[in-house]
Coordinates of all heavy atoms in Angstrom, one line a residue:
M1 N 199.1 133.2 82.6 CA 197.8 133.2 81.9 C 196.7 133.3 83.0 O 196.7 132.6 83.9 CB 197.6 131.9 81.2 CG 196.4 131.9 80.3 SD 196.5 130.5 79.2 CE 195.0 129.7 79.6
S2 N 195.9 134.4 82.9 CA 194.8 134.6 83.9 C 193.5 133.9 83.5 O 193.3 133.8 82.3 CB 194.6 136.1 84.1 OG 194.1 136.6 82.9
S3 N 192.8 133.5 84.5 CA 191.6 132.8 84.2 C 190.4 133.8 84.4 O 190.4 134.6 85.3 CB 191.4 131.6 85.2 OG 190.2 131.0 85.0
V4 N 189.4 133.6 83.5 CA 188.2 134.5 83.7 C 187.3 133.9 84.7 O 187.1 132.7 84.7 CB 187.5 134.5 82.3 CG1 186.2 135.3 82.4 CG2 188.3 135.0 81.2
P5 N 186.9 134.7 85.7 CA 186.0 134.2 86.7 C 184.6 133.7 86.3 O 184.2 134.1 85.2 CB 185.9 135.3 87.7 CG 186.2 136.5 86.9 CD 187.1 136.1 85.8
A6 N 184.1 132.8 87.0 CA 182.8 132.2 86.7 C 181.7 133.3 86.7 O 180.8 133.2 85.9 CB 182.4 131.1 87.6
S7 N 181.9 134.3 87.5 CA 180.9 135.4 87.6 C 180.8 136.2 86.2 O 179.7 136.6 85.9 CB 181.2 136.3 88.7 OG 182.4 136.9 88.5
A8 N 181.9 136.3 85.5 CA 181.8 137.0 84.2 C 181.0 136.2 83.2 O 180.2 136.7 82.5 CB 183.3 137.2 83.7
F9 N 181.2 134.8 83.2 CA 180.4 134.0 82.3 C 178.9 134.0 82.7 O 178.0 134.1 81.8 CB 180.9 132.6 82.3 CG 182.2 132.4 81.6 CD1 183.3 132.1 82.4 CD2 182.4 132.7 80.3 CE1 184.6 131.9 81.8 CE2 183.6 132.6 79.7 CZ 184.7 132.1 80.5
L10 N 178.6 134.0 84.0 CA 177.3 134.0 84.4 C 176.6 135.4 84.2 O 175.4 135.5 83.8 CB 177.2 133.7 86.0 CG 177.6 132.3 86.3 CD1 177.6 132.1 87.8 CD2 176.8 131.3 85.7
A11 N 177.4 136.5 84.3 CA 176.8 137.8 83.9 C 176.5 137.9 82.4 O 175.5 138.4 82.0 CB 177.8 138.9 84.4
L12 N 177.4 137.4 81.6 CA 177.2 137.3 80.2 C 175.9 136.5 79.8 O 175.1 136.9 79.0 CB 178.4 136.7 79.4 CG 178.2 136.5 77.9 CD1 178.1 137.8 77.2 CD2 179.4 135.7 77.4
A13 N 175.8 135.4 80.4 CA 174.6 134.5 80.2 C 173.3 135.3 80.7 O 172.3 135.2 80.0 CB 174.7 133.2 81.0
L14 N 173.4 136.0 81.8 CA 172.2 136.8 82.3 C 171.9 137.8 81.3 O 170.6 138.0 81.0 CB 172.5 137.4 83.7 CG 171.5 138.3 84.2 CD1 170.2 137.5 84.6 CD2 172.0 139.0 85.4
I15 N 172.9 138.6 80.8 CA 172.6 139.6 79.8 C 171.9 139.1 78.6 O 170.9 139.6 78.0 CB 173.9 140.4 79.5 CG1 174.3 141.2 80.8 CG2 173.6 141.3 78.3 CD1 175.6 141.8 80.7
L16 N 172.5 138.0 78.0 CA 172.0 137.4 76.8 C 170.5 136.8 77.0 O 169.7 137.0 76.2 CB 172.8 136.2 76.4 CG 174.1 136.5 75.6 CD1 174.9 135.3 75.3 CD2 173.8 137.3 74.4
F17 N 170.3 136.2 78.2 CA 169.0 135.7 78.4 C 167.9 136.9 78.6 O 166.8 136.7 78.0 CB 169.0 134.9 79.8 CG 167.7 134.1 79.9 CD1 167.5 132.8 79.3 CD2 166.7 134.6 80.7 CE1 166.4 132.1 79.5 CE2 165.5 133.9 80.8 CZ 165.4 132.6 80.2
C18 N 168.3 137.9 79.2 CA 167.4 139.1 79.4 C 167.1 139.7 78.0 O 166.0 140.1 77.8 CB 168.0 140.1 80.4 SG 168.0 139.5 82.1
I19 N 168.1 139.8 77.2 CA 167.9 140.4 75.8 C 167.0 139.5 75.0 O 166.0 140.0 74.4 CB 169.2 140.6 75.1 CG1 170.0 141.8 75.7 CG2 169.0 140.9 73.6 CD1 171.4 141.9 75.2
G20 N 167.2 138.2 75.1 CA 166.3 137.2 74.4 C 164.9 137.2 74.9 O 164.0 137.2 74.2
L21 N 164.8 137.3 76.3 CA 163.5 137.4 76.8 C 162.7 138.6 76.4 O 161.5 138.6 76.1 CB 163.6 137.3 78.4 CG 162.2 137.2 79.2 CD1 161.5 135.9 78.8 CD2 162.5 137.2 80.6
Y22 N 163.4 139.7 76.5 CA 162.8 141.0 76.0 C 162.3 140.9 74.6 O 161.2 141.3 74.2 CB 163.8 142.2 76.2 CG 163.3 143.5 75.6 CD1 162.3 144.2 76.3 CD2 163.7 143.9 74.4 CE1 161.9 145.4 75.8 CE2 163.3 145.1 73.9 CZ 162.3 145.9 74.6 OH 161.9 147.0 74.0
G23 N 163.2 140.4 73.7 CA 162.8 140.2 72.3 C 161.7 139.3 72.1 O 160.8 139.5 71.2
A24 N 161.6 138.2 72.8 CA 160.5 137.2 72.6 C 159.2 137.7 73.1 O 158.2 137.3 72.6 CB 160.9 135.9 73.4
L25 N 159.2 138.6 74.1 CA 158.0 139.1 74.7 C 157.4 140.3 74.1 O 156.3 140.6 74.1 CB 158.1 139.2 76.2 CG 158.4 138.0 77.1 CD1 158.5 138.4 78.5 CD2 157.2 137.0 76.9
T26 N 158.3 141.1 73.5 CA 157.8 142.4 73.0 C 157.8 142.6 71.5 O 157.1 143.5 71.0 CB 158.8 143.6 73.5 OG1 160.1 143.3 73.1 CG2 158.7 143.6 75.1
K27 N 158.5 141.8 70.8 CA 158.6 142.0 69.3 C 157.4 141.3 68.6 O 156.9 140.3 69.1 CB 159.9 141.5 68.8 CG 161.1 142.2 69.3 CD 161.0 143.7 69.0 CE 162.2 144.4 69.7 NZ 162.1 145.8 69.6
R28 N 157.0 141.8 67.5 CA 155.9 141.3 66.7 C 156.3 140.5 65.5 O 155.5 139.8 64.9 CB 154.9 142.5 66.3 CG 154.4 143.2 67.4 CD 153.4 142.4 68.2 NE 152.9 143.1 69.3 CZ 152.9 142.7 70.5 NH1 153.5 141.6 70.8 NH2 152.4 143.4 71.5
N29 N 157.6 140.6 65.1 CA 158.1 139.9 64.0 C 158.5 138.5 64.4 O 159.3 138.3 65.4 CB 159.3 140.7 63.4 CG 159.7 140.1 62.1 OD1 159.6 138.9 61.8 ND2 160.2 141.0 61.2
T30 N 158.0 137.5 63.7 CA 158.3 136.1 64.1 C 159.8 135.7 64.0 O 160.2 135.0 64.7 CB 157.5 135.2 63.1 OG1 156.1 135.6 63.1 CG2 157.5 133.8 63.6
V31 N 160.4 136.3 63.0 CA 161.9 136.0 62.8 C 162.6 136.5 64.1 O 163.5 135.8 64.6 CB 162.4 136.6 61.5 CG1 163.9 136.4 61.4 CG2 161.7 136.0 60.3
I32 N 162.3 137.7 64.5 CA 162.9 138.3 65.7 C 162.6 137.4 66.9 O 163.5 137.2 67.8 CB 162.5 139.7 65.9 CG1 162.9 140.6 64.7 CG2 163.1 140.3 67.2 CD1 164.3 140.7 64.4
V33 N 161.5 136.9 67.1 CA 161.1 136.1 68.2 C 161.9 134.8 68.1 O 162.4 134.3 69.2 CB 159.6 135.8 68.2 CG1 159.2 134.7 69.2 CG2 158.8 137.1 68.5
L34 N 162.1 134.2 67.0 CA 162.9 133.0 66.9 C 164.4 133.2 67.2 O 165.0 132.5 67.9 CB 162.8 132.4 65.4 CG 161.5 131.7 65.1 CD1 161.5 131.3 63.6 CD2 161.3 130.5 65.9
I35 N 164.9 134.4 66.8 CA 166.3 134.8 67.1 C 166.4 135.0 68.6 O 167.4 134.6 69.2 CB 166.7 136.0 66.3 CG1 166.9 135.6 64.8 CG2 168.0 136.6 66.9 CD1 167.1 136.9 63.9
S36 N 165.4 135.6 69.2 CA 165.4 135.8 70.6 C 165.4 134.5 71.4 O 166.1 134.4 72.5 CB 164.2 136.7 71.1 OG 164.3 137.9 70.4
I37 N 164.7 133.5 71.0 CA 164.6 132.2 71.6 C 166.0 131.6 71.5 O 166.5 130.9 72.4 CB 163.5 131.4 71.0 CG1 162.1 131.9 71.4 CG2 163.7 129.9 71.5 CD1 161.0 131.3 70.7
E38 N 166.7 131.7 70.4 CA 168.0 131.2 70.2 C 169.0 131.8 71.1 O 169.9 131.2 71.7 CB 168.5 131.4 68.7 CG 167.7 130.6 67.7 CD 168.0 129.1 67.9 OE1 169.1 128.6 68.3 OE2 167.0 128.3 67.7
L39 N 168.9 133.2 71.4 CA 169.7 133.8 72.4 C 169.5 133.3 73.7 O 170.4 133.1 74.5 CB 169.4 135.3 72.4 CG 170.1 136.3 71.4 CD1 169.6 137.7 71.5 CD2 171.6 136.2 71.7
M40 N 168.3 133.0 74.1 CA 168.0 132.4 75.4 C 168.6 131.0 75.5 O 169.2 130.7 76.6 CB 166.5 132.4 75.6 CG 165.9 133.8 75.9 SD 164.1 134.0 75.8 CE 163.5 132.6 76.6
L41 N 168.5 130.2 74.5 CA 169.1 128.9 74.5 C 170.7 129.0 74.6 O 171.3 128.2 75.3 CB 168.7 128.1 73.3 CG 167.2 127.7 73.3 CD1 166.9 127.0 72.0 CD2 167.0 126.7 74.4
N42 N 171.3 130.0 74.0 CA 172.7 130.2 74.1 C 173.1 130.6 75.4 O 174.2 130.2 75.9 CB 173.2 131.2 73.0 CG 173.2 130.5 71.6 OD1 173.4 129.3 71.5 ND2 173.0 131.4 70.6
A43 N 172.3 131.4 76.1 CA 172.6 131.7 77.5 C 172.6 130.5 78.4 O 173.4 130.4 79.3 CB 171.5 132.8 78.0
V44 N 171.7 129.6 78.1 CA 171.6 128.4 78.9 C 172.8 127.5 78.7 O 173.4 127.0 79.6 CB 170.3 127.6 78.6 CG1 170.3 126.2 79.2 CG2 169.1 128.3 79.1
N45 N 173.3 127.5 77.4 CA 174.5 126.7 77.1 C 175.7 127.3 77.8 O 176.6 126.6 78.2 CB 174.7 126.7 75.6 CG 173.7 125.8 74.9 OD1 173.1 124.9 75.4 ND2 173.5 126.1 73.6
I46 N 175.8 128.6 77.9 CA 177.0 129.3 78.6 C 176.9 128.9 80.1 O 177.9 128.6 80.6 CB 176.9 130.8 78.4 CG1 177.2 131.2 77.0 CG2 177.8 131.5 79.4 CD1 177.0 132.6 76.7
N47 N 175.7 128.9 80.6 CA 175.6 128.4 82.0 C 176.0 127.0 82.2 O 176.7 126.6 83.2 CB 174.2 128.6 82.5 CG 173.9 130.0 83.0 OD1 174.8 130.7 83.3 ND2 172.6 130.4 82.9
L48 N 175.6 126.1 81.3 CA 176.0 124.7 81.4 C 177.5 124.5 81.3 O 178.1 123.7 82.1 CB 175.3 123.9 80.2 CG 173.8 123.6 80.4 CD1 173.2 123.0 79.1 CD2 173.5 122.7 81.6
V49 N 178.1 125.1 80.4 CA 179.5 125.0 80.2 C 180.3 125.6 81.4 O 181.3 125.1 81.9 CB 180.0 125.6 78.9 CG1 181.5 125.6 78.8 CG2 179.5 124.8 77.7
T50 N 179.8 126.8 81.9 CA 180.4 127.4 83.1 C 180.4 126.5 84.3 O 181.4 126.3 85.0 CB 179.7 128.8 83.4 OG1 179.8 129.6 82.2 CG2 180.3 129.4 84.6
F51 N 179.2 125.9 84.6 CA 179.1 125.1 85.8 C 179.8 123.8 85.6 O 180.2 123.1 86.5 CB 177.6 124.8 86.1 CG 177.0 126.0 86.8 CD1 175.9 126.7 86.2 CD2 177.5 126.6 87.9 CE1 175.3 127.8 86.8 CE2 176.9 127.7 88.5 CZ 175.8 128.3 87.9
S52 N 180.0 123.3 84.3 CA 180.8 122.1 84.1 C 182.3 122.4 84.4 O 183.0 121.5 84.8 CB 180.6 121.5 82.7 OG 181.3 122.3 81.8
K53 N 182.7 123.6 84.2 CA 184.1 123.9 84.4 C 184.4 124.4 85.9 O 185.4 124.0 86.5 CB 184.6 125.0 83.5 CG 186.0 125.4 83.7 CD 186.6 126.3 82.7 CE 188.0 126.6 83.0 NZ 188.7 127.6 82.2
Y54 N 183.5 125.3 86.4 CA 183.7 125.9 87.7 C 182.9 125.3 88.8 O 182.9 125.8 89.9 CB 183.4 127.4 87.6 CG 184.4 128.2 86.7 CD1 183.9 128.6 85.4 CD2 185.6 128.5 87.1 CE1 184.8 129.3 84.6 CE2 186.5 129.2 86.3 CZ 186.0 129.6 85.0 OH 186.9 130.3 84.2
G55 N 182.1 124.3 88.5 CA 181.2 123.7 89.5 C 181.9 123.0 90.7 O 183.1 123.0 90.7
I56 N 181.1 122.5 91.6 CA 181.6 121.8 92.7 C 182.4 120.6 92.3 O 183.5 120.3 92.8 CB 180.5 121.3 93.6 CG1 179.8 122.6 94.2 CG2 181.0 120.4 94.8 CD1 178.5 122.3 95.0
A57 N 181.9 119.8 91.3 CA 182.6 118.6 90.8 C 182.8 118.8 89.3 O 182.0 118.4 88.5 CB 181.9 117.3 91.1
P58 N 183.9 119.5 88.9 CA 184.0 119.8 87.4 C 184.1 118.5 86.6 O 184.8 117.6 87.0 CB 185.4 120.6 87.4 CG 185.7 121.0 88.8 CD 185.0 120.1 89.7
S59 N 183.3 118.5 85.6 CA 183.3 117.3 84.7 C 182.9 117.7 83.3 O 182.6 118.9 83.0 CB 182.4 116.2 85.2 OG 181.1 116.7 85.2
I60 N 182.8 116.8 82.4 CA 182.4 117.1 81.0 C 180.9 117.0 80.8 O 180.4 117.3 79.7 CB 183.2 116.2 80.1 CG1 183.1 116.7 78.7 CG2 182.6 114.8 80.1 CD1 184.2 116.2 77.8
T61 N 180.2 116.7 81.8 CA 178.7 116.5 81.6 C 178.0 117.7 81.2 O 177.1 117.7 80.3 CB 178.0 115.9 82.9 OG1 178.3 116.8 83.9 CG2 178.6 114.5 83.2
G62 N 178.4 118.9 81.7 CA 177.8 120.2 81.2 C 178.0 120.4 79.8 O 177.1 121.0 79.1
Q63 N 179.2 120.1 79.3 CA 179.5 120.3 77.9 C 178.7 119.4 77.1 O 178.3 119.8 75.9 CB 181.0 120.2 77.7 CG 181.8 121.3 78.4 CD 183.3 121.0 78.4 OE1 183.8 120.1 77.7 NE2 184.0 121.8 79.1
V64 N 178.5 118.2 77.5 CA 177.7 117.2 76.7 C 176.3 117.7 76.7 O 175.6 117.7 75.6 CB 177.8 115.8 77.3 CG1 176.8 114.9 76.7 CG2 179.2 115.3 77.2
F65 N 175.7 118.2 77.8 CA 174.4 118.7 77.8 C 174.3 119.9 76.9 O 173.3 120.1 76.1 CB 173.9 119.1 79.2 CG 173.5 117.9 80.0 CD1 174.0 117.7 81.3 CD2 172.6 117.0 79.5 CE1 173.5 116.7 82.1 CE2 172.2 115.9 80.3 CZ 172.6 115.8 81.6
A66 N 175.3 120.8 76.9 CA 175.3 121.9 76.0 C 175.3 121.5 74.5 O 174.7 122.1 73.7 CB 176.5 122.8 76.3
L67 N 176.1 120.5 74.2 CA 176.0 119.9 72.8 C 174.7 119.4 72.4 O 174.2 119.7 71.3 CB 177.1 118.8 72.7 CG 177.3 118.2 71.3 CD1 177.8 119.3 70.4 CD2 178.2 117.0 71.4
F68 N 174.0 118.7 73.3 CA 172.6 118.3 73.0 C 171.7 119.5 72.9 O 170.8 119.5 72.0 CB 172.1 117.3 74.1 CG 172.6 116.0 74.0 CD1 173.2 115.4 75.1 CD2 172.5 115.3 72.8 CE1 173.8 114.1 75.0 CE2 173.0 114.0 72.7 CZ 173.6 113.4 73.8
A69 N 171.9 120.5 73.7 CA 171.0 121.7 73.6 C 171.2 122.4 72.3 O 170.3 123.0 71.7 CB 171.3 122.6 74.8
I70 N 172.5 122.4 71.8 CA 172.8 123.1 70.5 C 172.1 122.3 69.4 O 171.5 122.9 68.5 CB 174.3 123.2 70.3 CG1 174.9 124.2 71.2 CG2 174.6 123.5 68.9 CD1 176.4 124.2 71.3
S71 N 172.1 121.0 69.5 CA 171.4 120.2 68.4 C 169.9 120.4 68.5 O 169.2 120.5 67.4 CB 171.8 118.8 68.5 OG 171.4 118.2 69.8
V72 N 169.4 120.5 69.7 CA 167.9 120.7 69.8 C 167.6 122.2 69.3 O 166.5 122.3 68.6 CB 167.5 120.5 71.3 CG1 166.1 121.1 71.5 CG2 167.5 119.0 71.6
A73 N 168.4 123.1 69.6 CA 168.2 124.5 69.1 C 168.3 124.6 67.6 O 167.5 125.3 66.9 CB 169.2 125.4 69.7
A74 N 169.2 123.8 67.0 CA 169.2 123.8 65.5 C 168.0 123.2 64.9 O 167.4 123.7 64.0 CB 170.5 123.0 65.1
A75 N 167.5 122.1 65.6 CA 166.2 121.4 65.1 C 165.0 122.4 65.2 O 164.2 122.5 64.4 CB 166.0 120.2 65.8
E76 N 165.1 123.1 66.4 CA 164.0 124.1 66.7 C 164.0 125.2 65.6 O 162.9 125.6 65.1 CB 164.1 124.6 68.1 CG 163.2 125.7 68.4 CD 163.8 127.1 68.3 OE1 165.0 127.2 68.5 OE2 163.0 128.0 68.1
A77 N 165.2 125.7 65.3 CA 165.3 126.7 64.3 C 164.8 126.3 62.9 O 164.1 127.0 62.2 CB 166.7 127.3 64.3
A78 N 165.2 125.0 62.6 CA 164.8 124.5 61.2 C 163.2 124.4 61.2 O 162.6 124.8 60.2 CB 165.4 123.2 61.0
V79 N 162.6 123.8 62.2 CA 161.2 123.6 62.2 C 160.5 124.9 62.3 O 159.5 125.2 61.6 CB 160.8 122.6 63.4 CG1 159.2 122.7 63.6 CG2 161.3 121.3 63.2
G80 N 161.0 125.8 63.1 CA 160.4 127.2 63.2 C 160.4 127.9 61.9 O 159.4 128.6 61.5
L81 N 161.6 127.9 61.2 CA 161.6 128.6 59.9 C 160.7 127.9 58.9 O 160.2 128.6 58.0 CB 163.0 128.6 59.5 CG 163.9 129.7 60.2 CD1 165.4 129.6 59.8 CD2 163.4 131.0 60.0
A82 N 160.6 126.6 58.9 CA 159.7 125.9 58.0 C 158.3 126.3 58.2 O 157.6 126.6 57.2 CB 159.9 124.4 58.1
I83 N 157.9 126.4 59.5 CA 156.5 126.8 59.8 C 156.3 128.3 59.4 O 155.3 128.7 58.8 CB 156.2 126.6 61.3 CG1 156.1 125.2 61.6 CG2 154.9 127.3 61.7 CD1 156.1 124.8 63.1
L84 N 157.3 129.1 59.6 CA 157.2 130.5 59.2 C 157.1 130.7 57.7 O 156.3 131.5 57.3 CB 158.5 131.2 59.7 CG 158.6 132.8 59.4 CD1 157.5 133.5 60.1 CD2 159.9 133.3 59.8
I85 N 157.9 130.0 56.9 CA 157.8 130.0 55.5 C 156.4 129.6 55.0 O 155.8 130.2 54.1 CB 159.0 129.2 54.8 CG1 160.3 129.9 55.1 CG2 158.7 129.0 53.4 CD1 161.5 129.1 54.7
S86 N 155.9 128.6 55.6 CA 154.6 128.1 55.2 C 153.5 129.1 55.6 O 152.6 129.4 54.7 CB 154.3 126.8 56.0 OG 152.9 126.4 55.7
L87 N 153.6 129.7 56.7 CA 152.6 130.8 57.1 C 152.8 132.0 56.2 O 151.8 132.6 55.8 CB 152.8 131.2 58.5 CG 152.3 130.2 59.6 CD1 152.7 130.6 61.0 CD2 150.8 130.1 59.5
Y88 N 154.0 132.4 55.8 CA 154.2 133.5 55.0 C 153.6 133.3 53.5 O 153.1 134.2 53.0 CB 155.7 133.8 54.8 CG 155.9 135.1 54.0 CD1 155.6 136.3 54.4 CD2 156.4 135.0 52.7 CE1 155.9 137.5 53.7 CE2 156.6 136.1 51.9 CZ 156.3 137.3 52.4 OH 156.5 138.4 51.6
R89 N 153.7 132.1 53.1 CA 153.2 131.7 51.8 C 151.7 131.8 51.7 O 151.1 132.2 50.7 CB 153.6 130.3 51.3 CG 155.0 130.3 50.9 CD 155.4 128.9 50.4 NE 156.8 128.8 50.0 CZ 157.4 127.7 49.8 NH1 156.9 126.6 50.0 NH2 158.7 127.8 49.5
T90 N 151.0 131.5 52.8 CA 149.5 131.5 52.8 C 149.0 132.9 53.3 O 148.0 133.3 52.8 CB 149.0 130.5 53.8 OG1 149.5 130.7 55.1 CG2 149.3 129.1 53.3
R91 N 149.7 133.6 54.2 CA 149.1 134.9 54.7 C 149.9 136.1 54.3 O 149.4 137.2 54.6 CB 149.2 134.8 56.2 CG 148.4 133.6 56.7 CD 147.8 133.8 58.0 NE 147.1 132.6 58.4 CZ 146.5 132.5 59.5 NH1 146.5 133.5 60.4 NH2 145.8 131.4 59.9
K92 N 151.1 135.9 53.7 CA 151.9 137.1 53.2 C 152.3 138.0 54.3 O 152.4 139.2 54.1 CB 151.1 137.8 52.1 CG 150.7 137.0 50.9 CD 151.9 136.5 50.2 CE 151.4 135.8 48.9 NZ 152.2 134.6 48.6
T93 N 152.5 137.5 55.5 CA 153.0 138.3 56.6 C 153.7 137.5 57.6 O 153.6 136.2 57.7 CB 151.8 139.0 57.4 OG1 152.3 139.9 58.4 CG2 150.8 138.0 58.0
V94 N 154.6 138.1 58.4 CA 155.3 137.4 59.5 C 155.0 138.1 60.8 O 155.7 137.9 61.8 CB 156.9 137.4 59.2 CG1 157.2 136.6 58.1 CG2 157.4 138.8 59.0
N95 N 154.0 138.9 60.8 CA 153.6 139.6 62.1 C 152.8 138.6 62.9 O 151.9 138.0 62.5 CB 152.7 140.7 61.6 CG 152.5 141.7 62.8 OD1 152.9 141.4 64.0 ND2 151.9 142.9 62.5
I96 N 153.2 138.5 64.2 CA 152.6 137.6 65.1 C 151.1 137.9 65.4 O 150.3 137.0 65.5 CB 153.4 137.5 66.4 CG1 154.8 136.9 66.2 CG2 152.7 136.7 67.5 CD1 155.7 136.8 67.4
D97 N 150.8 139.2 65.4 CA 149.4 139.6 65.8 C 148.4 139.1 64.7 O 147.3 138.9 65.0 CB 149.4 141.1 65.8 CG 150.1 141.6 67.1 OD1 150.3 140.8 68.0 OD2 150.4 142.8 67.1
E98 N 148.9 138.9 63.5 CA 148.0 138.5 62.4 C 147.9 137.0 62.2 O 147.2 136.5 61.4 CB 148.5 139.2 61.1 CG 148.4 140.7 61.1 CD 149.0 141.3 59.9 OE1 149.2 140.6 58.9 OE2 149.3 142.5 59.9
M99 N 148.6 136.3 63.1 CA 148.5 134.8 63.0 C 147.9 134.3 64.2 O 148.4 133.6 65.1 CB 150.0 134.3 62.9 CG 150.7 134.7 61.7 SD 152.3 133.9 61.7 CE 153.1 135.0 60.5
D100 N 146.6 134.6 64.3 CA 145.9 134.2 65.6 C 144.9 133.0 65.4 O 144.4 132.5 66.3 CB 145.1 135.4 66.2 CG 144.2 136.0 65.2 OD1 144.1 135.6 64.0 OD2 143.5 136.9 65.6
T101 N 144.7 132.6 64.1 CA 143.8 131.5 63.9 C 144.4 130.5 62.9 O 145.4 130.9 62.2 CB 142.4 132.0 63.2 OG1 142.7 132.6 62.0 CG2 141.7 132.9 64.1
M102 N 144.0 129.3 62.9 CA 144.5 128.3 62.0 C 143.9 128.3 60.6 O 144.5 127.8 59.7 CB 144.3 126.9 62.6 CG 145.0 126.7 64.0 SD 146.8 126.7 63.8 CE 147.1 125.1 63.2
K103 N 142.7 129.0 60.5 CA 142.1 129.1 59.3 C 142.6 130.3 58.5 O 143.1 131.2 59.1 CB 140.6 129.2 59.4 CG 139.9 127.9 59.9 CD 138.4 128.3 60.0 CE 137.6 127.0 60.0 NZ 136.2 127.3 60.1
N104 N 142.4 130.4 57.2 CA 142.8 131.5 56.4 C 141.8 132.6 56.6 O 140.7 132.7 56.6 CB 142.8 131.2 54.9 CG 144.1 130.4 54.7 OD1 145.0 130.5 55.5 ND2 144.1 129.7 53.6

């Protein structure tokens, strides 16, 4: 059984983070921005698990941190979608450019 090198996991995390960063900075749809932020958080989780397995002192702490990051990402997604639904009900759009003030 061959082992996958740490550089492959780090390259995957880099690609996911770059795709997420591109989506978060260039897209105008709020749902796409939320999905892009989730991609970036998943890239961080891949790094945490990779360094917990291949690091200088391998331990389970990276996996525990990844578990906490997943729960925070789930809460962030729930709150973000709740805010998005509320904004859509009042403004009838999910375009970020049209959500620049708190007033109607």
Side-chain angles (χ1 to χ4, degrees):
M1 187 167 127
S2 66
S3 178
V4 179
S7 60
F9 290 114
L10 296 176
L12 174 66
L14 175 68
I15 291 168
L16 281 177
F17 192 85
C18 289
I19 291 170
L21 186 64
Y22 174 77
L25 294 178
T26 61
K27 301 301 177 186
R28 299 291 178 236
N29 190 326
T30 311
V31 176
I32 301 297
V33 171
L34 287 174
I35 291 171
S36 298
I37 292 171
E38 292 295 323
L39 271 177
M40 291 167 40
L41 288 172
N42 284 330
V44 170
N45 288 338
I46 290 172
N47 280 334
L48 287 171
V49 173
T50 300
F51 285 120
S52 75
K53 181 176 180 184
Y54 295 104
I56 296 172
S59 65
I60 197 159
T61 56
Q63 296 171 7
V64 172
F65 281 130
L67 185 64
F68 283 125
I70 289 170
S71 61
V72 167
E76 174 261 332
V79 170
L81 286 175
I83 292 170
L84 179 65
I85 289 170
S86 175
L87 285 171
Y88 181 75
R89 285 182 181 167
T90 59
R91 303 209 181 180
K92 303 294 185 216
T93 185
V94 291
N95 194 351
I96 292 175
D97 293 337
E98 297 173 14
M99 297 181 196
D100 56 354
T101 61
M102 298 293 281
K103 290 179 155 182
N104 283 337

